[in-house]
Amino acid sequence: TPLTAEIVMGEWHYDSGMSYFVEPDAHGNLCFNEWDRNRGIHHHGSLAEDEDGWFSGQLLNQDGSHIGDLRMRYDPPQEVMITQCRPPLSDWGKVTRARKVLGKAPLAAPEGSFTQYAVLGMLLFAGAVLLRELTWRNSVRPLFGLAGMESYSDQLEQMVKDVWAAKPKEPSAAESE
């Protein structure tokens, strides 16, 4: 139902410090996105509501490989999202609980002091430099995770790639003669 999907959407934090987002994709389907800040791992998948009130779907890793299934449902009395995963051909694993981050949309612009904007600017510059020398996943993405800004890393990665792709090419020595 639309009301249930609305409650599920947003940013959720586990007690461990990791977080995930549930948001609609371009086609209106709910998507799950989770990053491991320390290792740069991205788990994701599309979710559909079943008749028991669970949102479930296949769980994919950063390479798009199927690593299992995911199901989640909102528990109103505890105000938590209950989540379970299972490897392929296995039983559901332990229950984990996450709390919703209120008042903050996953794609919202950063809010706060000048310091946050300065840090964001420095990270953008560092990302542009490092992207040419190191892999994004192993160098810059963990920095965004440590700064609590993992929701911006995909957008920034695409912006940097677009800038490098639009950069005019220098004429070669043969062309300048």
Side-chain angles (χ1 to χ4, degrees), residues 42 46 99 109 112 114 121 164:
H42 177 213
S46 293
R99 298 204 178 275
F114 174 75
W164 285 111

Side-chain angles (χ1 to χ4, degrees), residues 126-127 130-131 133-144:
L130 291 175
L131 188 61
E133 301 299 323
L134 302 170
T135 63
W136 175 264
R137 186 174 292 127
N138 294 330
S139 61
V140 179
R141 183 181 283 279
L143 294 174
F144 279 96

